[in-house]
Amino acid sequence: MYKRKINQILTKWKQRPDRKPIIIKGVRQCGKTFSVTKFAKENYKNVIYLDFFAHPELKDIFDGPMDIDRITRNISMSGITDALFEKGNTCIVFDEIQDCPKARTSLKYFALDGRYDVICTGSLLGVNGYNSDAPIPVGYEQIVDMYPMDFEEWLWANGIKDEHISYLKECLEKHQPVDSVIHQRMRELLQQYIIVGGMPAAVKAFFETNDIREVRNTQLSILEDYRSDMVKYASPTDKPRIVECFNSIPSQLSREYKKFTYSSIKKGARGRNYEGCLQWIEDAGIVRRCYNTEITELPLDGNALRDEFKIYMADTGLFVSMLEDGTAWSISQGNLYGYKGAIFENLLADVFSKMGRKLYYYHKNSGIELDFLIRYKGECVPVECKASDGNAKSLRTVLQNQDKYHVNTAIKIGDYNIALSGQTLVMPHYLAFLLVEV
């Protein structure tokens, strides 16, 4: 239904003569199956589709020797009557491969055999090895992350063309304001994206009904599916703690300093009991961890403080749906007061993480706090996020003390048009997706 960036990745993969079986991994319901099957049907004469979640009996195909002729013969005899195996013209799709670990083991032998292309989809937990005792075919598979729709894909779905995005890139590069008509349209699309997010089912509900209540109902259903995954994959002792961690996210982001604290999960909670549970949620792709850094210098990962971090929801729409009913309406009216800072910070975390960026920030007890640090144009650049407008005292302090912080330029993102104010690039939220790491 929607143009997705994963199609470009699959196209480049198919063009490689030495391609290995590829696994598209991501959170539940981010569009993996639709994108993969659409690509396969458009690019191969024969497509053979196996869904291990809907048809667990198909797992029996992979019992026994890992011989490709035996496996393909078993597939043909399994009730998939249109299974035609033709060298160079056949794509086999393994959907929900985490539910059949032996199918993943077989990827090594498909790679060595080379007659058929194999595309797989899988949830992050299963692909990451949770509850799997089958050998992983290291070196014989390519793994690609797929996210819910990012802001650029949202723009495509709303009819924004490549030439429009090229115009925005030019404005950003030249530090010139965006034309007022385009600026207003982009602000509207950004506001909608905050509420709807990038889960394809929520996007579909929005376009078909234009009813935020239907969008929220869809998002709440997705969250319930995530909670079901929590009890499916987690150990019995961890299940309730994982849910408690997950449910604490809105309150974790409500504080002025949004550092994640285990004691905020519930009274008496300790890190030793909940650290693995939080890691589980992160491994599932549901949240993103944003690390404090010791200094404002590159490399950011090398300077990260692993025991001091914030937690953001990986999708802005799902985050908004975790808040009480009516929040979406409040966002559209600009009536969130203090909490709007958390929503717009989570928006930037959504945008940056879907670009493939790791998340970092800077906080010191001296009162200096920078919402995000990014590598941009070869430098460590602080990014201050404002819901609308406002002062950026920490940015000014850092820029005025270059000998201490070694920061030459900064970015202030809010409800602005593009402007250059001294060493600070001022820009609107809707351009954050163009801050490509170079």
Side-chain angles (χ1 to χ4, degrees):
M1 293 176 60
Y2 310 110
K3 180 181 176 182
R4 302 298 303 273
K5 293 179 179 179
I6 194 66
N7 190 70
Q8 301 169 7
I9 294 173
L10 288 170
T11 298
K12 290 180 180 179
W13 166 80
K14 190 177 187 304
Q15 292 171 348
R16 294 186 57 174
D18 59 342
R19 59 187 174 275
K20 307 170 185 177
I22 187 170
I23 299 178
I24 310 302
K25 68 183 177 98
V27 294
R28 295 279 191 189
Q29 302 187 51
C30 69
K32 302 184 296 295
T33 299
F34 180 87
S35 298
V36 163
T37 54
K38 181 175 183 293
F39 175 84
K41 290 175 182 178
E42 291 176 348
N43 288 274
Y44 292 88
K45 179 180 177 182
N46 308 303
V47 177
I48 300 163
Y49 175 78
L50 286 77
D51 183 344
F52 297 116
F53 178 78
H55 298 282
E57 69 276 7
L58 294 175
K59 292 186 284 187
D60 296 341
I61 291 171
F62 300 89
D63 289 338
M66 288 294 172
D67 175 77
I68 297 303
D69 286 330
R70 186 192 72 84
I71 291 173
T72 55
R73 182 169 59 250
N74 286 350
I75 291 174
S76 298
M77 295 294 292
S78 66
I80 305 176
T81 55
D82 58 348
L84 299 176
F85 292 92
E86 182 181 347
K87 180 180 178 180
N89 290 315
T90 297
C91 179
I92 306 171
V93 177
F94 291 154
D95 201 6
E96 305 289 359
I97 196 171
Q98 77 282 346
D99 286 332
C100 184
K102 290 182 179 179
R104 187 175 180 188
T105 300
S106 76
L107 299 184
K108 172 181 177 179
Y109 303 95
F110 276 103
L112 293 171
D113 181 87
R115 283 177 287 172
Y116 317 113
D117 286 350
V118 183
I119 306 177
C120 312
T121 74
S123 76
L124 287 163
L125 288 173
V127 173
N128 289 341
Y130 279 76
N131 294 342
S132 172
D133 56 2
I136 294 175
V138 178
Y140 294 95
E141 61 184 12
Q142 179 182 346
I143 300 178
V144 175
D145 289 317
M146 183 175 177
Y147 306 101
M149 291 175 67
D150 64 22
F151 183 62
E152 187 171 18
E153 290 171 325
W154 168 257
L155 295 180
W156 293 340
N158 279 275
I160 303 300
K161 297 180 171 52
D162 289 341
E163 54 262 36
H164 302 142
I165 295 175
S166 295
Y167 165 74
L168 295 174
K169 289 179 181 178
E170 182 180 358
C171 290
L172 183 61
E173 188 64 31
K174 294 182 177 179
H175 302 157
Q176 67 183 29
V178 176
D179 182 86
S180 59
V181 174
I182 298 176
H183 177 65
Q184 182 57 33
R185 175 59 175 153
M186 293 296 296
R187 289 176 70 243
E188 293 171 354
L189 291 173
L190 187 280
Q191 189 176 70
Q192 293 172 357
Y193 179 73
I194 292 173
I195 297 168
V196 178
M199 301 304 291
V203 175
K204 183 174 183 286
F206 177 77
F207 284 129
E208 289 184 350
T209 69
N210 199 31
D211 187 341
I212 294 301
R213 292 172 298 181
E214 288 299 319
V215 172
R216 177 177 167 80
N217 289 338
T218 301
Q219 292 164 333
L220 292 176
S221 176
I222 293 170
L223 291 176
E224 282 307 307
D225 287 345
Y226 285 177
R227 291 185 178 95
S228 296
D229 269 2
M230 293 174 193
V231 300
K232 176 181 178 180
Y233 287 104
S235 66
T237 56
D238 284 341
K239 290 174 183 178
R241 292 173 180 169
I242 289 173
V243 175
E244 288 169 349
C245 274
F246 180 65
N247 291 338
S248 78
I249 293 171
S251 61
Q252 297 279 355
L253 290 174
S254 67
R255 300 188 302 275
E256 183 175 356
Y257 177 35
K258 301 173 180 60
K259 174 188 172 183
F260 186 91
T261 57
Y262 293 101
S263 60
S264 296
I265 297 173
K266 73 174 185 178
K267 185 177 180 180
R270 297 290 183 268
R272 64 177 178 269
N273 297 325
Y274 284 87
E275 184 176 7
C277 301
L278 179 61
Q279 185 65 54
W280 191 100
I281 301 171
E282 184 180 19
D283 288 345
I286 299 170
V287 300
R288 294 285 183 265
R289 201 177 303 219
C290 181
Y291 289 102
N292 192 10
T293 60
E294 191 169 5
I295 54 178
T296 52
E297 296 179 14
L298 301 177
L300 295 171
D301 197 55
N303 293 318
L305 300 169
R306 297 297 168 182
D307 59 349
E308 192 168 343
F309 51 86
K310 304 176 187 178
I311 290 293
Y312 296 105
M313 284 290 289
D315 182 77
T316 175
L318 292 184
F319 175 59
V320 170
S321 73
M322 292 180 73
L323 307 174
E324 69 270 15
D325 194 13
T327 301
W329 171 254
S330 297
I331 291 173
S332 67
Q333 300 302 304
N335 295 329
L336 288 174
Y337 305 106
Y339 201 83
K340 62 185 178 182
I343 290 173
F344 279 87
E345 278 190 40
N346 205 104
L347 166 69
L348 277 196
D350 168 302
V351 172
F352 286 157
S353 62
K354 288 175 182 175
M355 294 169 67
R357 285 189 178 277
K358 295 181 180 180
L359 303 178
Y360 304 96
Y361 73 103
Y362 181 77
H363 174 87
K364 285 292 177 281
N365 292 332
S366 60
I368 300 297
E369 182 173 1
L370 304 170
D371 295 330
F372 295 95
L373 295 178
I374 64 172
R375 175 188 286 270
Y376 184 59
K377 296 188 176 180
E379 297 185 11
C380 173
V381 178
V383 178
E384 189 76 4
C385 176
K386 299 295 181 183
S388 52
D389 54 15
N391 294 322
K393 182 179 177 181
S394 292
L395 274 189
R396 291 197 303 272
T397 300
V398 167
L399 289 171
Q400 290 168 3
N401 294 273
Q402 292 187 7
D403 291 343
K404 180 178 180 180
Y405 296 104
H406 306 115
V407 168
N408 299 313
T409 59
I411 297 172
K412 183 179 177 182
I413 296 180
D415 191 18
Y416 314 112
N417 208 321
I418 300 175
L420 191 61
S421 177
Q423 299 160 276
T424 302
L425 173 62
V426 179
M427 58 183 286
H429 299 104
Y430 62 75
L431 289 183
F433 78 100
L434 295 179
L435 295 173
V436 180
E437 183 175 335
V438 292

